[in-house]
């Protein structure tokens, strides 16, 4: 009997050894995975890590430049690396190891035959990257973070894919970064699996090749569009690229004349793959279009498309997945879109996204730009929650835990500690006798409100933390806070906007408008309703209001800057405001949105100029929108509440709206009580929503359901290779190099998603209990557990060996045949196939060909960001499986 277990152990060892030999390749050496970028040239060669004994399917590959020093600026260097297995394999994660201080961009190509197999070569001119067709699989620039693919999705390489080599291309923009003569080992790690993936990832590249940007011209658009003529694709991420003249790049799917946003971003932000619009597919007959917006201001000569720092680029990447049996790894579009087609492009595509140095560092993925540096795990998971199909706001019963004794609740805000700020009218009411026909307040004899009109409330329990605002206001309306935590309030009886300290002294720091005197010039208001504050500049925006139909902009010191409305002076003849009732500033978009109450719509404008951007108007609003707030999560979320209208009939409720698509994602309302006059709305960083109701003199709290799927996230889990990641972490040697330690910690954070608070607390309690108890068992308990685990393992292996012996006297591992073989190089036609820019740039006067080979698509702007933006959060993408019927 002892012979069978012994034989099983031998067979297992033989299989493991054979598999490890299959992964190993004589062209590289296996080394420990290290994150230090400035290694000795002999130690930064490409390498793999395979975890034979934990999970034989999973392994990782490091592809690094072998300690190079570029000869000059705008140098393109390439190196080839064989796919480290003769089987089919799938890339599920790209982890870059580079800094924009040294590297302008990296591209990873896949092909059958590279131009060279030497350690590296200059690929910026004639040689190029691949002898045959090459597919872009990954692109990186501007300190972009790692890119994760959805679960069950991978880039296919190896046996039947047509890709047997990786070619890494690195563009070194400014050679001055090498004044210290260090050797560069930049590159990336690929996390891979040999487990077949149901869906195959690919890249669709839209690229302008003939745009000319005139010197001094404020706006130049580069439009690209192609009809899609292949099997359905499902975009899950997008990436933009221009040099420093680019202001915004937007990509769309056009179906039946309707433009649906795939993604929109400033190319001056870290050029990562950002999450694409969820549940968006592209099928045969659709059109894919993109627009890049450039400004030629500051240039003295024409700017062309090219690969050097004096040129420009217009690239929009779509990372998609397809069903494995139809997989196409790379497609491209370089057709100039027709003017007639782009006459219908949404207005947002032409609106620049302003990026300040602070904005560069704070706005990454779907975070809150205002508080990015101090985001809690709840904030980090919120972006995932809002895109979850199970996301829904439900009322919180029992909040507040004790009565707040409120008057008409007119305004809500958040302070810097995320406490709820309530603005209410105490014992004053706005009735039919409050104002005369000239909008002058008729109840001054009542005096100001004696109660505390500003309450700071704990958002969790509802208890009052601080109270102020006595004997100051007559009819409070809107409230917001600035970065110094001062209150900006409006009083419709005073016709004023006031800046009030939050120190409890009730001191007025600034007053705009003349008390009790309505007017329509730059020094007077008429029943102003709300204030929005730009957190960067301190500028304030005032919605004015019940009498006037306008938005005014002031500096932080109260200096009048500008105003806009939608009246007779508007050249587009838009419908004028009817009670602009609520304002919100969108920090990530540099826009101001207005709840135009009586018109039942939401309108958004460029904050600096007042230029119209978009309008959201839904039948579900019932003709009136009372208040709005905004969250940068996802593609941007607008939270709104409606009101009763004499002309329409619709239930009073709250709405969650996708800013980009204008779709209503969720509606919510109280259970026990009903809204009577929902007057203001605010959303906290943990995703809770509060609604202040003037009619019922109360505040309602809503939060997401407990049953939302935070792991599966819309049906497909994010790809994780946990067994492999664990082994890599244990093999890393501790180093005193701080940059290396930080990189390892960042990698661990990527591999281990944040645990729920309750679970973490239980684990900490358990650890504390374990620490108190003395360890009397020594190694006995682990030995017993190990023995118990080995017994069933030995039995299973014994049975397997016996069955194999009975069948064929040997064990054979069968792999599923791939239907993708040979597809590379067989697909031709518009928007599908290879991209060859070499001949194009060589034959067009005025264009520089340097840096362009068969698939060189990005050049240099020689810009540097002094702030390191590499420690932004890593977004985990989640995609839906292909629907049964096209939508």
């Amino acid at each position: 009997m002892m012979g069978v277990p012994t034989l099983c152990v031998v067979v297992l060892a033989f299989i493991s050894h054979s598999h490890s030999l299959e992964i190993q390749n004589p062209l590289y050496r296996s080394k420990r995975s290290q994150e230090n970028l400035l290694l000795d040239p002999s130690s930064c060669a490409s390498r793999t890590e395979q975890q034979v004994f934990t999970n034989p399917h999973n392994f990782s590959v490091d592809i690094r430049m072998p300690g190079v020093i570029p000869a000059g600026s705008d140098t393109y260097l390439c190196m080839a690396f064989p796919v480290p297995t003769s089987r089919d394999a799938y890339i599920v994660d790209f982890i870059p190891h580079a800094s924009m201080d040294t590297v302008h961009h990296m591209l990873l190509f896949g092909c059958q035959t590279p131009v060279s197999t030497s350690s590296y070569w200059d690929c910026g001119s004639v040689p190029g990257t691949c002898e045959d067709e090459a597919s872009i699989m990954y692109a990186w620039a501007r300190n972009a973070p790692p890119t994760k693919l959805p679960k069950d999705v991978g880039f296919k390489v190896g046996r039947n894919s047509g890709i047997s080599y990786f070619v890494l291309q690195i563009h070194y923009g400014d050679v001055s970064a090498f004044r210290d003569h260090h050797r560069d080992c930049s590159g990336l790690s690929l996390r891979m699996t040999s487990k077949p993936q149901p869906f195959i990832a690919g890249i669709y590249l839209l690229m302008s090749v003939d745009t000319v940007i005139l010197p001094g011209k404020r706006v130049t658009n580069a439009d690209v569009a192609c009809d899609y003529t292949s099997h359905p694709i499902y975009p899950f991420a997008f990436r933009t690229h221009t040099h420093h003249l680019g202001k915004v790049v937007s990509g769309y799917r056009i179906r039946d004349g309707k433009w649906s946003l795939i993604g929109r971003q400033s190319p001056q932000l870290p050029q990562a793959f950002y999450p694409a619009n969820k549940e968006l597919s592209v099928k045969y007959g659709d059109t894919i279009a993109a627009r890049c917006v450039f400004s030629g201001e500051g240039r003295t000569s024409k700017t062309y498309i090219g690969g050097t720092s004096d040129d420009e680029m217009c690239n929009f990447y779509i990372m998609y997945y397809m069903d494995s049996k139809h997989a196409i790894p790379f497609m491209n579009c370089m057709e100039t879109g027709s003017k007639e087609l782009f006459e219908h492009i949404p207005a947002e595509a032409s609106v620049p996204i302003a990026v300040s140095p602070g904005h560069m560092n704070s706005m990454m993925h779907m975070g809150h730009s205002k508080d990015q540096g101090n985001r809690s795990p709840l904030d980090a998971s919120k972006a995932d929650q809002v895109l979850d199909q199970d996301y829904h706001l439900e009322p919180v019963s029992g909040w507040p835990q004790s009565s707040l004794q409120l008057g008409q609740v007119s305004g809500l805000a958040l302070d810097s500690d995320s406490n709820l700020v309530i603005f209410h009218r105490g014992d004053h009411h706005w009735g039919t006798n409050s104002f005369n026909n000239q909008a002058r307040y008729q109840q001054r004899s009542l005096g100001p409100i004696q109660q505390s009109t500003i309450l700071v409330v704990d958002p969790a329990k509802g208890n009052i933390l601080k109270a102020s605002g006595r004997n100051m206001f007559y009819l409070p309306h809107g409230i917001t806070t600035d970065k110094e935590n001062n209150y900006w309030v409006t009083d419709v009886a005073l016709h004023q906007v006031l800046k009030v300290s939050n120190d409890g002294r009730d001191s007025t720091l600034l007053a705009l408008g003349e008390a009790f005197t309505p007017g329509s010039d730059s020094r007077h208001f008429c029943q102003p309703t709300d204030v929005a504050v730009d957190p960067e500049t301190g500028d304030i925006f005032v919605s004015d209001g019940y009498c006037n139909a306008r938005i005014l902009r002031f500096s932080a010191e109260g200096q009048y800057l500008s105003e806009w409305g939608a009246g007779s002076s508007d050249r587009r003849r838009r419908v004028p405001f009817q009670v602009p009732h609520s304002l919100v500033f969108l920090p990530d978009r540099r826009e101001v949105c207005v709840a135009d109450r009586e018109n039942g719509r939401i309108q958004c404008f460029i904050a600096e100029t007042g230029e119209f951007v978009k309008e959201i108007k839904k039948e579900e609003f019932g003709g009136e929108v009372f208040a709005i707030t905004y969250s940068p999560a996802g593609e941007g979320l607008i939270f709104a509440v409606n009101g009763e209208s004499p002309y329409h009939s619709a239930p009073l409720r709250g709405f969650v709206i996708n800013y980009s698509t204008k779709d209503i994602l969720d509606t919510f309302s109280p259970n026990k009580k009903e809204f009577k006059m929902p007057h203001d709305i605010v959303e906290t960083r943990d995703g809770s929503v509060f609604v202040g109701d003037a009619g019922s003199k109360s505040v309602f709290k809503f939060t997401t359901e407990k049953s939302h799927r935070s792991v599966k996230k819309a049906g497909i889990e994010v790809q994780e290779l946990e067994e492999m990641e664990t082994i890599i972490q244990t093999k890393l040697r501790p180093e005193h190099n701080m940059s290396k330690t930080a990189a390892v910690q960042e990698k661990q954070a990527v591999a281990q998603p944040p645990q729920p608070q309750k679970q973490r607390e239980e684990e900490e309690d358990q650890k504390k209990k374990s620490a108190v108890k003395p360890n009397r068992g020594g190694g006995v308990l682990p030995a017993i557990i190990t023995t118990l685990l080995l017994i069933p393992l030995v039995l299973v292996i014994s049975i397997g060996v016996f069955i194999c012996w009975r069948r064929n006297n040997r064990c054979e591992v069968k792999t599923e045949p791939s239907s993708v073989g040979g597809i590379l190089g067989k697909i031709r036609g518009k928007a599908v196939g290879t991209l060859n820019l070499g001949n194009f740039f060589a034959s067009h006067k005025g264009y520089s060909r340097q840096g362009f080979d068969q698939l060189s698509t990005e050049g240099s702007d020689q810009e540097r960001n002094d702030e390191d933006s590499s420690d932004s959060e890593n977004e985990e993408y989640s995609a839906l499986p292909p629907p049964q019927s096209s939508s």
Side-chain angles (χ1 to χ4, degrees):
M1 291 297 294
M2 292 297 294
V4 174
T6 303
L7 176 62
C8 294
V9 173
V10 173
V11 170
L12 177 61
F14 176 78
I15 293 174
S16 301
H17 178 67
S18 301
H19 190 79
S20 65
L21 289 177
E22 181 177 341
I23 294 293
Q24 297 299 324
N25 190 295
L27 294 180
Y28 59 87
R29 296 181 297 166
S30 176
K31 291 182 178 288
R32 297 176 186 267
S33 177
Q34 301 182 24
E35 304 304 316
N36 190 3
L37 298 180
L38 304 180
L39 304 174
D40 182 83
S42 63
S43 66
C44 62
S46 303
R47 53 199 178 272
T48 65
E49 285 283 350
Q50 187 210 358
Q51 285 63 52
V52 175
F53 299 103
T54 356
N55 189 329
H57 293 294
N58 303 336
F59 57 98
S60 67
V61 178
D62 266 4
I63 304 177
R64 304 286 190 98
M65 279 293 168
V68 301
I69 300 179
S73 297
D74 289 319
T75 296
Y76 288 74
L77 297 182
C78 290
M79 64 167 293
F81 181 69
V83 174
T85 177
S86 59
R87 300 180 177 184
D88 287 333
Y90 305 84
I91 305 171
V92 298
D93 192 1
F94 300 90
I95 304 173
H97 307 293
S99 167
M100 66 181 290
D101 294 331
T102 304
V103 174
H104 176 266
H105 81 259
M106 294 191 298
L107 291 173
L108 183 69
F109 306 129
C111 61
Q112 192 71 40
T113 308
V115 165
S116 172
T117 56
S118 59
S119 60
Y120 68 96
W121 69 93
D122 185 342
C123 55
S125 53
V126 177
T129 56
C130 298
E131 295 285 358
D132 56 335
E133 294 172 300
S135 301
I136 297 178
M137 290 187 288
Y138 178 71
W140 173 97
R142 289 185 172 272
N143 290 339
T147 295
K148 287 182 176 291
L149 274 62
K151 184 175 175 59
D152 298 327
V153 175
F155 282 89
K156 187 174 183 178
V157 299
R159 179 189 297 170
N160 297 312
S161 67
I163 297 176
S164 56
Y165 272 87
F166 301 121
V167 175
L168 174 66
Q169 180 194 76
I170 294 187
H171 177 193
Y172 297 98
D174 188 354
V175 74
S176 64
F178 290 86
R179 287 174 181 169
D180 59 356
H181 303 291
H182 77 269
R183 295 181 177 272
D184 186 61
C185 296
S186 299
L188 68 159
S189 297
L190 309 178
R191 294 172 64 191
M192 302 177 66
T193 180
S194 59
K195 183 179 179 181
Q197 302 294 294
F199 307 115
I200 305 303
I203 294 286
Y204 191 116
L205 171 63
L206 292 95
M207 177 179 179
S208 173
V209 295
D210 57 3
T211 298
V212 179
I213 304 168
L214 299 178
K217 187 174 181 181
R218 184 167 177 265
V219 177
T220 295
N221 294 329
D223 295 335
V224 187
C226 287
D227 295 331
Y228 186 75
T229 57
S230 189
H231 295 283
I233 61 174
Y234 303 89
F236 62 88
F238 74 96
R239 177 179 179 271
T240 65
H241 177 77
T242 71
H243 298 170
H244 66 278
L245 298 185
K247 302 302 181 184
V248 63
V249 182
S250 310
Y252 295 88
R253 179 204 71 186
I254 308 172
R255 178 180 294 175
D256 300 327
K258 181 181 179 181
W259 293 65
S260 298
L261 182 70
I262 297 173
R264 174 177 178 264
Q265 189 56 281
S266 166
Q268 305 308 322
L269 291 170
Q271 293 179 1
F273 276 97
Y274 293 79
N277 186 12
K278 299 292 178 179
E279 303 182 39
L280 183 71
S281 65
V282 180
K283 66 179 183 179
Y284 186 96
D286 291 341
T287 299
I288 303 181
R291 165 171 285 182
C292 301
V293 178
F294 298 98
S295 174
E297 293 177 320
R299 286 291 177 101
T300 57
S301 59
K302 294 180 180 179
T303 304
Y304 299 93
I305 299 296
T308 72
S309 58
D310 293 327
D311 300 318
E312 261 300 339
M313 293 297 298
C314 170
N315 293 354
F316 185 83
Y317 294 84
I318 301 171
M319 191 176 284
Y320 61 84
Y321 65 88
M322 304 178 72
D323 190 88
S324 60
K325 61 184 177 181
H326 300 307
I328 302 172
F330 179 75
M331 295 181 269
N332 68 80
C333 170
M334 295 186 292
E335 299 288 332
T336 302
S338 67
K339 292 183 179 180
E340 293 76 17
L341 177 68
F342 279 84
E343 285 178 355
H344 304 288
I345 191 170
E348 64 189 2
S350 302
V351 178
I353 297 177
V355 179
S356 65
H359 200 191
M360 284 281 295
N361 198 33
S362 63
M363 183 190 167
M364 256 321 278
H365 287 292
M366 301 188 297
H368 292 259
S369 61
K370 185 175 180 180
D371 302 298
Q372 185 76 15
N374 299 314
R375 292 179 68 198
S376 67
L378 287 173
D379 299 329
S381 64
K382 181 181 143 192
D384 297 337
Q385 294 175 5
V386 298
L387 298 174
D388 195 322
Q389 286 182 331
D390 290 341
Y391 172 86
H392 178 59
L393 287 168
E394 286 287 342
V396 177
S397 59
W399 192 98
Q401 294 180 0
S402 59
S403 175
L404 295 174
Q405 297 182 345
L406 301 172
Q408 291 181 333
V409 178
S410 61
L412 299 177
L414 293 177
D415 66 13
S416 59
D417 297 321
S418 294
N419 295 316
L420 180 67
V421 182
I422 301 174
F423 198 30
H424 72 108
R425 295 172 183 157
D427 58 3
H428 283 205
H429 298 80
W430 188 346
T432 56
N433 299 322
S434 297
F435 294 89
N436 64 13
N437 292 334
Q438 287 75 41
R440 291 185 178 272
Y441 187 55
Q442 299 296 294
Q443 297 171 336
R444 292 180 61 178
S445 60
L446 296 176
I449 302 169
Q450 297 181 8
Q451 296 92 351
S452 296
T453 56
I454 301 176
L455 304 178
V456 179
V457 174
D458 176 12
K461 298 180 180 180
N463 54 298
I464 298 176
L465 305 176
K466 187 165 58 175
S468 60
R470 294 185 178 183
N471 298 308
M472 296 183 70
F473 309 111
Y474 289 78
L475 276 182
H477 201 276
I479 186 170
T480 191
T481 58
D482 59 22
K483 60 184 179 182
E484 296 173 350
N485 233 16
N486 299 304
Y487 305 126
W488 288 87
V489 302
T490 64
D491 188 312
V492 291
L494 288 171
H495 303 288
Q496 284 184 306
V497 175
L498 305 175
K499 179 182 179 182
V500 180
S501 66
N502 72 333
D503 56 8
R505 299 180 180 179
D506 293 341
S507 56
T508 300
L509 305 178
L510 181 68
L512 301 178
E514 185 178 350
F516 299 110
T517 306
S520 57
D521 57 29
S522 61
R523 292 179 295 178
H524 293 84
F525 305 104
C526 190
Q527 295 176 340
T529 54
D530 203 6
V531 179
V533 180
D534 182 341
E536 288 189 10
T537 66
D539 290 353
I540 67 165
F541 301 83
V542 179
S543 50
D544 183 36
Y546 284 92
C547 320
N548 298 325
R550 61 179 181 169
I551 309 297
L552 297 95
R553 176 180 169 224
F554 298 84
S555 70
E557 295 74 28
Q559 180 182 357
Y560 172 83
L561 298 176
S562 63
E563 68 179 83
W564 72 85
S568 59
S569 62
D570 180 14
R571 58 186 175 84
R572 296 183 60 177
R573 305 294 181 185
R574 287 191 297 270
V575 176
F577 293 132
Q578 288 193 63
V579 189
H581 194 258
S582 174
L583 287 180
V584 65
F585 187 87
L586 282 53
D588 58 333
R589 300 176 185 271
R590 309 296 300 166
E591 296 175 11
V592 171
C593 291
V594 185
D596 187 10
R597 195 181 87 175
E598 299 302 308
N599 280 323
R601 65 186 181 182
I602 302 166
Q603 289 193 325
C604 299
F605 305 84
I606 298 175
E608 185 175 359
T609 64
E611 181 180 348
F612 176 79
V613 176
K614 67 164 50 181
E615 176 177 297
I616 302 174
K617 190 171 185 176
K618 300 288 186 179
E619 292 183 2
E620 292 86 344
F621 295 162
E624 292 200 0
V625 179
F626 264 61
I628 55 174
T629 190
Y630 176 77
S631 167
E635 296 176 305
L637 298 174
I638 291 180
F639 297 81
V641 287
N642 64 346
E644 289 186 353
S645 170
Y647 311 106
H648 301 83
S649 177
L652 299 184
R653 51 186 172 170
F655 302 87
V656 184
I657 304 163
N658 184 310
Y659 171 91
S660 299
T661 65
K662 306 181 186 180
D663 295 331
I664 295 176
L665 305 178
D666 185 29
T667 60
F668 55 93
S669 59
N671 281 340
K672 297 180 180 180
K673 296 182 180 180
E674 292 183 352
F675 284 143
K676 291 186 177 180
M677 184 186 289
H679 202 265
D680 203 3
I681 184 170
V682 70
E683 187 236 15
T684 63
R685 286 187 296 178
D686 68 356
S688 298
V689 173
F690 293 87
V691 175
D693 192 298
S696 63
K697 301 181 180 180
S698 56
V699 177
F700 297 91
K701 180 179 180 180
F702 301 85
T703 189
T704 54
E705 286 183 329
K706 301 297 183 181
S707 61
H708 75 270
R709 294 173 296 175
S710 60
V711 177
K712 284 196 172 182
K713 290 167 46 178
I716 292 187
E717 298 177 13
V718 171
Q719 190 78 305
E720 290 288 355
L721 301 181
E722 295 177 357
E723 300 92 337
M724 183 194 72
E725 194 67 27
T726 302
I727 296 298
I728 289 181
Q729 290 166 7
T730 59
K731 285 191 175 184
L732 288 171
R733 293 178 296 189
E735 294 284 345
H736 296 290
N737 187 313
M738 294 305 294
S739 62
K740 175 177 176 179
T741 304
V744 174
Q745 291 172 348
E746 181 180 0
K747 188 171 184 179
Q748 292 173 340
V750 174
Q752 300 173 356
Q755 297 174 303
Q757 183 68 25
K758 185 177 180 180
Q759 181 180 345
R760 288 202 304 269
E761 293 174 355
E762 290 176 354
E763 290 180 357
E764 290 175 0
D765 292 339
Q766 189 64 33
K767 289 179 181 178
K768 292 178 181 178
K769 292 177 182 178
S770 301
V772 173
K773 296 179 180 179
N775 186 6
R776 298 175 181 176
V780 176
L781 184 58
I784 295 174
I785 294 175
T786 303
T787 304
L788 292 174
L789 290 175
L790 281 176
I791 292 173
L793 176 63
V794 171
L795 290 175
V796 170
I797 295 175
S798 302
I799 295 171
V801 172
F802 179 75
I803 293 173
C804 290
W805 177 77
R806 286 288 303 271
R807 287 183 176 179
N808 301 315
N809 287 330
R810 62 189 179 91
C811 285
E812 181 179 338
V813 180
K814 295 184 179 181
T815 57
E816 297 181 5
S818 172
S819 60
V820 187
I823 200 165
L824 264 176
K826 294 183 180 179
I827 300 170
R828 292 291 183 271
K830 188 175 181 180
V832 181
T834 185
L835 170 62
N836 193 328
L837 296 179
N839 294 334
F840 173 83
F841 287 104
S843 60
H844 282 65
K845 185 177 180 180
Y847 290 86
S848 169
R849 189 189 182 282
Q850 181 181 0
F852 283 90
D853 49 46
Q854 290 178 343
L855 276 168
S856 178
T857 59
E858 299 191 3
S860 169
D861 54 13
Q862 290 205 17
E863 287 192 322
R864 295 292 177 264
N865 179 14
D866 294 333
E867 298 187 33
D868 180 16
S869 58
S870 62
D871 45 347
S872 300
E873 296 187 14
N874 305 304
E875 175 59 28
E876 297 181 343
Y877 303 113
S878 176
L880 292 174
Q884 298 299 319
S885 58
S886 300
S887 59

